[in-house]
Amino acid sequence: AIMKVKVISRDAEQYTRKSSKDIHPMQTNVAPHLHPLEAQREYRRALNAVKLERIFAKPFVGAMDGHRDGVYTMAAHPQKLNCLMSGSADGELRIWNLASKKCLYSTQLHERRINSVCFSPKGDLAFSVSDDQTIKFLKTRRLGLYSQYDGEEVEEPTTIIGTTYLKGVHHHYSQDMFATCGGEVELWSHVRAEPLRKLTWGFDTISCIKFNPVQTNILATCAIDRSIALYDVRSQSPMRRVVLETRSNSLSWNPMEAFNFTVANDDGRLYTYDMRKLSRAMMVHKGHTNAVMDVAYAPTGREFVSGSYDCTLRIFGYNQGHSREIYHTKRMQKVFAVEWSGDNRYIMSGSDEMNIRLWKSTAWEKVGAKAARQKAADLYNERLKARFQHHPEIKRIARHRHIPSRIRFATKKHQIMESAQKRKEDNLRRHSRAGAVPFKNERSKHHVREDK
């Protein structure tokens, strides 16, 4: 007769330690009826996780000095995560290695302030424009970025003399063409010393220009007449223009939702627009107490960082009205340039006191390699915090930030001014005939007009 013998078979990985210093694996039955206090236990774990998050929130990584004047423009390399280009007010161009925080290449490229820099899509060319009315571009392969070209002589930059003063430059994402702005928008080729085409709308200075990363033939500009204009390089005339109450200093397209863009405004706010409907803003982002000078999106398109005249950086969600983080140091002055790294982990800022600073995009994230168990624990803590994020105690701890007293007092002052203005409008509306004082919501009240 055949006798059946039942044996217990277990995988050795379920009960064997991976190293002698590791803890012993434990088997857990996750049946709900065996854990009646599961919610209370997870709430306590979420509370501890959010407290540890605030304890380990140290976003500052390091500073890179070497410029002899304020840093007013920066550009991240499109294909190398550890490469950054910066331009200063004395006309010096520098290329940095972010991993070692060292300068790979520096040259006195212009006689006056560098207003804007950019890379070509492949990263083989670097462009810059200056107040000296010149466009200069140089090949980057011999500037220390590629080890196979080490020791070779650096090629001299190519110079193009512009027809007017130049404030911004940006390269087309799919063609050998770049655009500059200043007195007017000009389209250039790599192989010609004369502009291919000129696009104008009005007579005021255009301060910023950016190509759309998806609809690559569309570009957006900001001008000092408070306007934001859209152009199509395939047509001879501009597309649309919207005029705000105050001037916009910079602009950035959302890389994932490329029909949306965010502008940094002089009133201390940022406005997110849909290029298909410029009559009102999709979102108004508040928090800064002075003019916002630059804005840059994360590669995920879910967040963006802004640098302001109030000497702080703020990180906003693309659909959130208030910032989730504020970065500042005692020595950092007015921030004129910001960039987000291609791996979504770091933020770079250039400020008026000649320094470039490197920050973590997630303040409490550990820098360096993490074990698999650490990654799993971090993911578990993030889900716990998301589950209990609306509980009062956890919400209070997660929102707490150390803010300089001058920023705190300026924020209170802005709140008093806004409440006084709202109270005045309410009184006028209450003591006027019906419809004489129309109500305007926050997203459209700063809109003056739209031109087509």
Side-chain angles (χ1 to χ4, degrees), residues 46-212:
L47 190 63
N48 292 337
V50 76
K51 287 180 180 180
L52 290 174
E53 170 191 307
R54 290 294 89 210
I55 291 174
F56 292 108
K58 298 179 180 179
F60 182 68
V61 178
M64 296 175 287
D65 56 354
H67 279 291
R68 296 183 293 273
D69 210 331
V71 181
Y72 290 99
T73 179
M74 295 190 306
H77 198 283
Q79 295 186 355
K80 298 182 74 66
L81 298 178
N82 62 343
C83 178
L84 178 74
M85 177 169 56
S86 62
S88 63
D90 60 354
E92 184 185 27
L93 181 79
R94 284 178 176 259
I95 295 180
W96 304 85
N97 186 323
L98 298 178
S100 61
K101 304 183 185 65
K102 294 182 179 179
C103 179
L104 300 177
Y105 175 78
S106 65
T107 180
Q108 190 67 33
L109 198 61
H110 293 273
E111 297 179 357
R112 300 179 66 182
R113 164 179 164 171
I114 298 179
N115 290 320
S116 181
V117 294
C118 73
F119 283 102
S120 61
K122 295 181 180 180
D124 55 343
L125 294 174
F127 297 81
S128 67
V129 295
S130 172
D131 282 338
D132 59 9
Q133 297 188 8
T134 60
I135 306 168
K136 296 195 177 184
F137 61 93
L138 63 158
K139 297 181 179 179
T140 60
R141 63 180 184 179
R142 293 190 176 94
L143 303 184
L145 303 182
Y146 305 95
S147 58
Q148 61 267 33
Y149 298 107
D150 289 348
E152 296 187 12
E153 185 178 353
V154 177
E155 298 182 14
E156 290 295 324
T158 302
T159 303
I160 300 175
I161 300 176
T163 57
T164 181
Y165 52 91
L166 301 167
K167 293 295 183 181
V169 62
H170 200 244
H171 200 282
H172 197 282
Y173 283 94
S174 59
Q175 300 179 19
D176 291 337
M177 178 175 62
F178 62 96
T180 61
C181 65
E184 53 192 358
V185 175
E186 296 177 333
L187 302 177
W188 302 80
S189 173
H190 294 179
V191 295
R192 292 186 60 179
E194 296 293 332
L196 300 174
R197 189 181 306 165
K198 295 184 180 181
L199 304 172
T200 58
W201 195 338
F203 302 98
D204 285 292
T205 301
I206 301 171
S207 58
C208 177
I209 187 168
K210 292 290 176 64
F211 275 99
N212 190 302

Side-chain angles (χ1 to χ4, degrees), residues 173 211-215 252-262 272-276 282 296-304 318 341-342 344:
Y173 283 94
F211 275 99
N212 190 302
V214 176
Q215 297 290 338
S252 180
W253 291 95
N254 189 326
M256 293 292 106
E257 298 176 355
F259 43 82
N260 297 336
F261 62 90
T262 300
T272 298
Y273 280 93
D274 189 329
M275 62 179 289
R276 301 166 296 184
M282 292 178 56
Y297 262 94
T300 60
R302 310 296 295 179
E303 294 179 322
F304 62 84
Y318 78 105
S341 66
N344 196 36

